[in-house]
Amino acid sequence: MTAARRRPTRRLTTHTAVALIGAGALLAGCTSNEPADTGATDTDNVASSNDEAGETVRIGFSAPAADHGWMAAITEAAREQAEQYEDVELTVAEGTNDVSTQIAQVETFINEGVDAIVLLPFDGAALTPVALEAMEAGIPVINVDREFSSPFASRSTILGDNYGMGVSAGTYVCSRLGDQPDAVVAEVAGIDSLPLTQDRSQGFADALADCGLDVDNRVAAEFTVESGEEAAANLLQAAPEIDAIWNHDDDQGVGVLAAIENAGRDEFFMVGGAGSANAMRAIQSGDSVLEATVIYPSTQAADGITLARLIAQDKNMSDLVSQGVPKRIMLAAPVVTAENVDQYLDNAFES
């Protein structure tokens, strides 16, 4: 049993909340078992104690079914990150979109006495009670992407920035059309009932308002290729003139681009969302209306593995002055264009 497991549960849940914006590479870079060769001499302090293997940490990981390119990448990145540490034993539960099954998976981890649980819940509110159960058992839970309904259900939470995605997309559109007050802006959202979709749309609207624009035509899809094509076809029929489109999700964007091609429309530019490899290749080619995409990191669970290891071994994040691992981490939502796509393509997921 690790030092973190012996601590009272209250100490696992009362750290001061911290919002830290940064790329997933920050976490991996601070804690890798293989320090990068910086050319420094032996007398330079280039490695932290986090680079040394410690007591073995058993981590249980559960996420929804990999029925979407982004979700598949989440689980694969978690596996790859665990393999970087010789002191991590990772147990991956089969991906499921059934809440009862996922609750049972977490209960199994609790009964097995794992040292930490990394959990991307299918439904944050529904998984909150079992996460609380784990925390009360002294097992730190790292909540990924979809938040629990109680702040006491996790030791640390790592999130993409949905509102920030909208802001990034809107800011890019403003940079291109801000001097055209009559520009027509359209939006292909995701599932409207989800808070993440609502946050993305609100961020987009707020950013557009800053340059005097608004959303003139809006449709919602379901994060699938088929729904993206259907929703985009309806949008294009309803809007004979468009200057820019923001599509929330690059997986459904495959269908959006198909609808655009079928309609023979090319008078506008499009901004995608999430940062898939196929979207980046289209941007790179310069032969598509897709001109940019906004990153929603598929590395969140990988960062969760790193955090779980640090917490279970009672370590800090080496580049921070403050003690302990932050309670809350929000990752950035950068815009990928032809100018910087080479920086992001290698880590992109396939739709």
Side-chain angles (χ1 to χ4, degrees), residues 4 20 24 38 54 68 115 118 137 178 180 190 215 219 248 272 295 327 334 343 351:
L20 175 65
T38 62
H68 182 277
D115 297 304
V118 177
Q180 301 178 40
V215 177
V219 293
H248 285 207
I295 296 289
K327 173 68 175 172
Q343 301 175 30
S351 289

Side-chain angles (χ1 to χ4, degrees), residues 117-296:
I117 295 171
V118 177
L119 180 58
L120 196 168
F122 179 73
D123 182 315
L127 269 291
T128 296
V130 75
L132 283 167
E133 183 182 339
M135 291 288 289
E136 289 166 0
I139 301 173
V141 176
I142 291 77
N143 181 199
V144 177
D145 185 52
R146 302 173 185 177
E147 288 192 82
F148 300 133
S149 56
S150 168
F152 303 108
S154 66
R155 163 58 184 84
S156 190
T157 299
I158 183 162
L159 304 167
D161 188 356
N162 286 294
Y163 179 83
M165 280 184 72
V167 170
S168 292
T171 299
Y172 182 81
V173 171
C174 280
S175 73
R176 296 275 277 100
L177 301 176
D179 59 349
Q180 301 178 40
D182 297 326
V184 177
V185 179
E187 179 180 5
V188 182
I191 300 172
D192 261 342
S193 62
L194 296 180
L196 68 89
T197 297
Q198 297 161 17
D199 288 345
R200 290 179 187 185
S201 287
Q202 188 61 58
F204 189 54
D206 289 349
L208 290 179
D210 195 53
C211 68
L213 296 175
D214 57 19
V215 177
D216 298 282
N217 300 92
R218 185 181 185 278
V219 293
E222 299 176 359
F223 295 131
T224 65
V225 174
E226 295 77 15
S227 68
E229 184 169 4
E230 180 180 357
N234 293 335
L235 172 69
L236 294 170
Q237 288 179 355
E241 295 184 10
I242 300 174
D243 293 293
I245 296 177
W246 181 41
N247 164 58
H248 285 207
D249 179 77
D250 285 337
D251 277 305
Q252 74 182 23
V254 174
V256 173
L257 288 171
I260 291 170
E261 183 175 357
N262 290 338
R265 301 278 293 272
D266 62 2
E267 79 276 12
F268 50 78
F269 67 90
M270 187 171 105
V271 179
S276 74
N278 62 290
M280 291 189 195
R281 287 191 289 266
I283 293 167
Q284 194 175 48
S285 73
D287 297 327
S288 171
V289 295
L290 185 61
E291 190 170 290
T293 188
V294 182
I295 296 289
Y296 191 75

